[in-house]
Amino acid sequence: MAPAEILSGKIVSGQVRERLKQQVVEMTQKFPGFRPGLAILQVGNRDDSNLYIQMKLKAAAEIGISANHIKLPNTATEADVLKCIASLNADPAVHGFIVQLPLDSDNPINTEKITNAVAPEKDVDGLSSINAGKLSRGDLGDCFIPCTPKGCMELIRQTGVQVAGKRAVVIGRSKIVGAPMHDLLLWNNATVTTCHSKTSTLAEEVGKADILVVAAGRAEMVKGEWIKPGAIVIDCGINHVPDSTKASGKRVVGDVAYNSAKEKASFITPVPGGVGPMTVAMLMQSTVESAQRFLEKFQPGKWTIQYNQLTLKVPVPSDIEISKSCMPKPIEQVAKEVGLFPDEVELYGQTKAKVQLSVLKRLQNQPDGKYVVVTGITPTPLGEGKSTTTVGLVQALGAHLHQNVFACVRQPSQGPTFGIKGGAAGGGYCQVVPMEEFNLHLTGDIHAITAANNLVAAAIDARMFHELTQSDQALYNRLVPSVSGVRKFSDIQIRRLQKLGINKTDPMALTKEEVNAFVRLDIDPGTITWQRVLDTNDRFLRKITIGQSATEKGFSRTAQFDITVSSEIMAVLALADGLDDMKKRFGRMVVASSKKGQPVTADDLGVTGALAVLMKDTVKPNLMQTLEGTPVFVHAGPFANIAHGNSSVLADKIALKLVGKDGFVVTEAGFGADIGMEKFFNIKCRYSGLRPHVVVLVATVRALKMHGGGPAVTAGVPLPKEYTEENLQLVAKGCSNLNKQIQNARMFGVPVVVAVNAFKTDTKAELALVVQHAKEAGAFDAVECSHWAEGGKGALALARAVQRASQAPNNFRFLYNVELPIVDKIRLIAQQVYGARDIELLPEAQEKVALYTKQGFGNLPICMAKTHLSLSHDPEQKGAPTGFVLPIRDVRASVGAGFLYPLVGTMSTMPGLPTRPCFYDIDLDPVSGEVNGLF
């Protein structure tokens, strides 16, 4: 018989490494920026462990695996090791993770506890009980196999001999080699016998083996004459025996007597150079396999969502009853379903979470989904259901059409929640849940904005007080104090010096004139535009006097409180595209002018860094869900009149990456299309760089009847009969407003789908008439919707129309160039969007235009502060008025947010409470802890 063919582990492992290298290249080409990651955790400093680890690190580098060696000292405790393992388990960049054994610690450590602490999906050594259990059950595709047995199987495959039906003998029963080798051969359909030190008929059993795997740890224990002719012999042993011919005085041998065995076997592995090189190659292969499983599981845009089934009731119960009847999914489940990693999610209880901005970097090479904005015709004071339609649409797209879809909505102020309007979670069977969490504190973002805003307000008055009561040198000594004999400017003070043209960093080097310029902001109290805020409707704070305490030495002034959501900090949050951008915008916020007419900023006050600290968590979008289990981002809630009235850019950007190129992100713009949509396009899209695919324009029969000449609609008062009985004439006449708002949307080059939000008092003829008029006015499509009563099912026609519209030609464009003069930009909006003949700037507005142009703010976008109840400045003018002159009372600047806002008429920034506020009906059940009465 010819001698056995040598199974060279060096050659086969080299082939494996080349194959893995190519797989990694293909992986990184398909997923730019991605690399398989291997972590090796070592305790202590054993020489043999160091050698093995260096071999693994070298192999990983050759293949393209990102390998990280974490070395704990030999003083490490079991708790230290477990803490490190927990961190690596949670790291999404680590796909394979091994603990180098033995653990070289001065402290007692339970090795099995440590190996079982490694996450099974990262346990590329295959040593955890879970992976061992799966292997023993035959779940080979759902576990990791220890590297040595896996290498042995690869060598056996190289022979070309079929394992199935062969008799196999494994000598050794260790957890690392013998036991898993038995299972591996068994589930490859061999008939397997395991032998060990207590086997009395070892030679006899070996003689029956077609395949022999030896891992006994005893030098040349298996003799050649035992071996069945033609057997495959895999020798896993590494033993040292004396050899005087070697310089070291010893040589390495296996567990098989090689020279005699190779005369009997058909294939045999040498020692060294057989199984050894395969072990490292298989570790690399398992790491690549783990990375592939990770990509398959977390492939961007590949969602596996569990949707909630609605149990519809007639009549439709109250909003809070519906919300309570729904059992939301744990928010960490929602996060996992949409492809967020555990370390990208900060849980705030069971139903809400914040999402780290790092997800944008991870997904930066992924294409965006389709971008849809929901707006409306000019509404009644009751609102026409934009939020409800937004939620209904995403429920239809997600739970019924199985598209990846995110809703991005504003966080509501608590003022209206306890005032007259109520909450803003949607309504009926289209809600963000839990609605009490949504409508109340959520994750504290609005409270953080309140604190940040009021810190700026306090800084303004404190600075004026100190400048009025101290000399230049006294101010300087306090602003740049000597600490342990050393005076030093802070970073923000260096920025102020640079702004003043003073290029010095030594506080002792400033001249008297430079000290004066540095310490004196010289704020003109009459120019202060920054007010204190509170998230409560309180009419008695609309005008107040501050500084009446004797400690303020008579320095009092008239001021006011605004509601928190009107703060420029809220607008900054909504338009920022990251923490750094938000901080820069804070620094640019203009709070007043100096007596010389120079803008005074938050940076000048020295408060920018502190604002960033207060807002560092607020910048992260809040994750919630709808009644039917589709994901929602709730983030930012700027006013829709003096600000742009849209949720955050960051939430939209993250959502667009998460849904993938075929998914949808549906966001809502405040008030009617003439206000919220126009600002969405000209301000939000301008700063975000995002381009919308579809406009959904919400219309109701009720609002169209009002525009057609129906009686006034008043919140809290029953509707006149004109609104509850069929009146086609009023509807037809009111469609002038619908036609104009369709024209407004099409002006920006985006397809428009009209959603006719049906109420129970609407007749079929009325609804059909609206659909007909909308299509004739140029809408891409118009459909009736019954989502309030039916959930996503009632918005299916809308969802399908939006899908079709998203494929239609899109020529998005802005209405104006920001480089135009301020007055020209205002006039364009008034004439093109509102239908005005011209504009008229009152003297105060003229002065502000001149001032802002001089201060360098003339190239900012325009954010019109106008009534939402009419296309004109007069809330009593309904329909689509034309030929009017739009009066501009004043112009103000939100420089940090990045826009100028002309005031058309009087804008209240602090609502008041009505005679009977909502809070009369809101209560807490002290036994169950449930909130009652919210809507």
Side-chain angles (χ1 to χ4, degrees):
M1 179 176 176
E5 189 174 327
I6 308 302
L7 289 171
S8 171
K10 289 183 179 179
I11 293 174
V12 176
S13 67
Q15 294 169 347
V16 170
R17 291 186 191 193
E18 282 301 316
R19 184 175 72 241
L20 294 176
K21 189 185 298 185
Q22 183 58 36
Q23 288 176 2
V24 170
V25 168
E26 292 170 1
M27 211 180 294
T28 53
Q29 286 174 345
K30 188 174 181 181
F31 302 97
F34 179 84
R35 283 181 72 191
L38 172 67
I40 304 171
L41 175 59
Q42 179 185 11
V43 179
N45 195 35
R46 284 176 58 117
D47 289 339
D48 55 349
S49 292
N50 291 334
L51 179 62
Y52 297 146
I53 290 169
Q54 285 307 311
M55 290 168 56
K56 293 166 185 174
L57 293 174
K58 182 181 178 184
E62 288 175 0
I63 292 166
I65 294 170
S66 175
N68 184 19
H69 179 198
I70 301 97
K71 198 169 187 177
L72 299 181
N74 55 13
T75 56
T77 64
E78 186 175 273
D80 294 332
V81 180
L82 290 171
K83 183 178 179 181
C84 186
I85 290 173
S87 174
L88 291 167
N89 283 342
D91 187 347
V94 173
H95 310 109
F97 170 23
I98 68 168
V99 179
Q100 184 68 41
L101 300 177
L103 300 169
D104 179 25
S105 175
D106 298 338
N107 299 296
I109 297 179
N110 184 327
T111 300
E112 186 163 358
K113 185 176 181 179
I114 294 301
T115 54
N116 279 322
V118 177
E121 66 272 16
K122 297 187 178 187
D123 173 31
V124 288
D125 251 349
L127 299 182
S128 69
S129 296
I130 290 177
N131 277 318
K134 287 182 175 181
L135 174 58
S136 70
R137 293 194 324 179
D139 298 334
L140 304 189
D142 189 34
C143 71
F144 285 110
I145 299 161
C147 299
T148 300
K150 190 172 183 175
C152 292
M153 280 302 297
E154 184 63 32
L155 288 169
I156 293 169
R157 288 191 191 97
Q158 291 292 316
T159 68
V161 175
Q162 284 279 38
V163 174
K166 297 294 188 293
R167 293 182 65 89
V169 172
V170 178
I171 301 177
R173 53 183 173 179
S174 73
K175 294 178 181 179
I176 296 176
V177 183
M181 192 71 234
H182 171 281
D183 295 336
L184 198 51
L185 285 162
L186 179 67
W187 293 111
N188 277 275
N189 300 308
T191 301
V192 188
T193 300
T194 297
C195 299
H196 44 77
S197 60
K198 303 299 183 184
T199 302
S200 58
T201 57
L202 185 58
E204 182 182 337
E205 296 298 334
V206 169
K208 299 174 185 176
D210 299 313
I211 299 170
L212 176 64
V213 181
V214 188
R218 292 173 60 184
E220 299 183 324
M221 179 187 75
V222 175
K223 309 307 178 185
E225 57 267 25
W226 298 358
I227 295 170
K228 180 180 179 180
I232 299 170
V233 178
I234 307 295
D235 188 351
C236 301
I238 299 179
N239 309 285
H240 294 88
V241 296
D243 187 341
S244 58
T245 66
K246 301 291 185 183
S248 63
K250 57 186 178 181
R251 62 188 170 89
V252 176
V253 298
D255 291 353
V256 178
Y258 180 77
N259 288 329
S260 58
K262 72 179 181 179
E263 300 301 325
K264 297 285 290 290
S266 60
F267 295 91
I268 192 168
T269 57
V271 177
V275 173
M278 294 300 296
T279 302
V280 174
M282 291 301 102
L283 174 64
M284 299 301 119
Q285 182 168 309
S286 291
T287 301
V288 172
E289 287 172 358
S290 181
Q292 289 169 333
R293 292 179 190 177
F294 174 86
L295 286 173
E296 180 65 24
K297 186 177 180 181
F298 290 101
Q299 189 172 332
K302 185 177 181 181
W303 292 6
T304 303
I305 283 200
Q306 173 191 326
Y307 296 108
N308 298 331
Q309 295 293 318
L310 295 178
T311 303
L312 304 177
K313 293 183 179 180
V314 180
V316 176
S318 69
D319 290 350
I320 197 161
E321 284 180 77
I322 295 172
S323 179
K324 285 180 183 178
S325 70
C326 166
M327 179 61 71
K329 295 177 289 188
I331 200 65
E332 57 190 322
Q333 177 184 335
V334 177
K336 185 177 181 181
E337 288 175 342
V338 302
L340 290 166
F341 295 164
D343 70 327
E344 294 170 340
V345 180
E346 298 174 8
L347 301 179
Y348 280 65
Q350 293 295 309
T351 57
K352 52 192 177 180
K354 279 197 167 289
V355 174
Q356 295 274 6
L357 303 188
S358 58
V359 68
L360 275 175
K361 184 176 182 181
R362 174 171 67 86
L363 299 176
Q364 61 185 336
N365 295 308
Q366 300 303 317
D368 288 345
K370 304 293 196 318
Y371 198 26
V372 180
V373 60
V374 177
T375 184
I377 63 171
T378 305
T380 69
L382 305 178
E384 308 317 307
K386 291 195 310 297
S387 298
T388 305
T389 302
T390 299
V391 176
L393 174 57
V394 297
Q395 289 183 165
L397 284 166
H400 298 267
L401 298 180
H402 304 291
Q403 296 261 197
N404 293 353
V405 62
F406 243 103
C408 293
V409 299
R410 290 183 293 167
Q411 179 182 355
S413 165
Q414 286 183 180
T417 299
F418 292 104
I420 192 169
K421 179 179 177 290
Y429 287 103
C430 297
Q431 296 185 52
V432 180
V433 290
M435 65 99 80
E436 60 270 30
E437 297 283 355
F438 177 90
N439 284 318
L440 298 177
H441 305 286
L442 197 56
T443 56
D445 290 354
I446 290 181
H447 302 314
I449 292 166
T450 301
N453 183 98
N454 292 344
L455 180 62
V456 177
I460 294 168
D461 289 303
R463 185 60 176 261
M464 288 195 299
F465 173 78
H466 292 307
E467 287 188 24
L468 287 167
T469 56
Q470 297 178 54
S471 67
D472 287 357
Q473 195 58 47
L475 277 169
Y476 192 60
N477 290 342
R478 288 181 172 89
L479 287 169
V480 193
S482 175
V483 179
S484 301
V486 178
R487 299 181 78 176
K488 183 181 177 182
F489 291 119
S490 66
D491 290 344
I492 201 165
Q493 289 176 325
I494 293 288
R495 290 206 298 272
R496 172 152 174 79
L497 288 169
Q498 291 170 344
K499 179 180 177 180
L500 293 169
I502 302 170
N503 296 313
K504 297 178 181 179
T505 56
D506 180 3
M508 305 304 294
L510 267 65
T511 65
K512 285 186 177 181
E513 292 76 14
E514 290 169 339
V515 167
N516 173 267
F518 175 74
V519 302
R520 298 283 171 189
L521 298 182
D522 203 21
I523 293 171
D524 179 353
T527 66
I528 295 172
T529 55
W530 196 271
Q531 310 299 343
R532 289 164 173 81
V533 298
L534 188 69
D535 196 35
T536 302
N537 289 5
D538 190 345
R539 66 177 66 247
F540 286 93
L541 294 178
R542 289 170 177 167
K543 188 172 183 179
I544 59 173
T545 303
I546 59 173
Q548 293 190 338
S549 170
T551 55
E552 273 52 74
K553 302 179 182 180
F555 296 108
S556 65
R557 69 181 181 90
T558 300
Q560 69 186 59
F561 268 82
D562 294 336
I563 198 158
T564 299
V565 291
S566 71
S567 169
E568 184 176 351
I569 289 178
M570 177 64 91
V572 167
L573 172 67
L575 289 170
D577 71 357
L579 193 54
D580 183 58
D581 181 50
M582 182 176 71
K583 184 179 174 182
K584 288 176 180 176
R585 286 173 180 268
F586 286 159
R588 295 197 297 266
M589 292 188 306
V590 174
V591 300
S593 293
S594 70
K595 291 173 182 173
K596 292 181 180 179
Q598 294 300 310
V600 177
T601 66
D603 230 30
D604 293 326
L605 288 167
V607 76
T608 304
L611 297 179
V613 169
L614 285 170
M615 295 288 290
K616 68 181 178 64
D617 292 319
T618 306
V619 75
K620 305 166 192 171
N622 304 297
L623 179 65
M624 294 188 76
Q625 63 192 289
T626 67
L627 282 166
E628 296 192 51
T630 57
V632 180
F633 275 138
V634 185
H635 199 215
F639 252 29
N641 47 29
I642 68 166
H644 62 292
N646 286 266
S647 59
S648 78
V649 165
L650 280 168
D652 291 359
K653 284 189 170 184
I654 293 173
L656 284 163
K657 293 297 183 188
L658 288 171
V659 298
K661 66 182 180 65
D662 296 321
F664 288 83
V665 171
V666 181
T667 189
E668 177 193 345
F671 294 154
D674 55 308
I675 299 180
M677 183 196 71
E678 181 270 315
K679 296 174 185 180
F680 171 82
F681 289 144
N682 282 321
I683 299 176
K684 185 176 181 180
C685 290
R686 195 186 298 270
Y687 280 120
S688 69
L690 300 174
R691 297 294 179 263
H693 292 80
V694 184
V695 171
V696 172
L697 184 69
V698 180
T700 63
V701 168
R702 178 179 67 194
L704 293 173
K705 285 181 175 179
M706 176 192 73
H707 287 296
V713 176
T714 306
V717 176
L719 286 170
K721 65 179 179 62
E722 286 84 351
Y723 296 99
T724 58
E725 298 175 359
E726 184 174 286
N727 192 322
L728 296 177
Q729 186 177 357
L730 278 181
V731 173
K733 188 177 178 184
C735 280
S736 61
N737 186 271
L738 173 63
N739 295 354
K740 175 57 179 166
Q741 298 290 30
I742 291 172
Q743 290 173 22
N744 284 341
R746 294 186 65 199
M747 187 189 310
F748 292 91
V750 184
V752 186
V753 174
V754 173
V756 185
N757 187 17
F759 295 168
K760 60 184 178 182
T761 55
D762 300 339
T763 68
K764 288 185 178 181
E766 289 174 330
L767 295 169
L769 183 61
V770 179
V771 168
Q772 177 190 336
H773 270 276
K775 291 178 179 179
E776 290 172 353
F780 177 89
D781 202 352
V783 294
E784 298 174 24
C785 304
S786 55
H787 45 274
W788 178 81
E790 297 183 280
K793 177 185 173 185
L796 270 172
L798 174 62
R800 292 190 177 104
V802 167
Q803 285 179 316
R804 293 193 303 273
S806 71
Q807 304 298 326
N810 186 318
N811 301 301
F812 175 69
R813 55 190 173 270
F814 299 120
L815 178 63
Y816 54 80
N817 187 323
V818 289
E819 301 300 326
L820 288 173
I822 295 171
V823 173
D824 289 356
K825 288 181 284 193
I826 297 172
R827 182 178 287 109
L828 270 172
I829 295 171
Q831 292 178 335
Q832 298 295 315
V833 179
Y834 306 156
R837 177 170 55 81
D838 204 351
I839 61 172
E840 179 187 10
L841 268 67
L842 302 184
E844 189 173 358
Q846 293 176 23
E847 291 173 12
K848 291 290 184 63
V849 167
L851 174 65
Y852 294 143
T853 302
K854 179 183 176 183
Q855 291 179 336
F857 305 141
N859 61 349
L860 292 176
I862 299 299
C863 181
M864 299 290 284
K866 179 187 76 72
T867 178
H868 63 290
L869 297 174
S870 172
L871 281 163
S872 75
H873 56 285
D874 180 359
E876 300 304 316
Q877 286 194 39
K878 304 302 180 182
T882 57
F884 58 91
V885 175
L886 192 75
I888 309 300
R889 180 174 63 83
D890 194 4
V891 179
R892 295 179 186 169
S894 287
V895 178
F899 52 74
L900 302 176
Y901 60 100
L903 298 178
V904 182
T906 303
M907 289 291 118
S908 174
T909 50
M910 172 53 84
L913 290 172
T915 304
R916 193 186 189 282
C918 297
F919 61 62
Y920 275 90
D921 301 310
I922 297 172
D923 202 358
L924 181 72
D925 185 323
V927 177
S928 66
E930 287 189 347
V931 175
N932 298 312
L934 280 177
F935 68 94

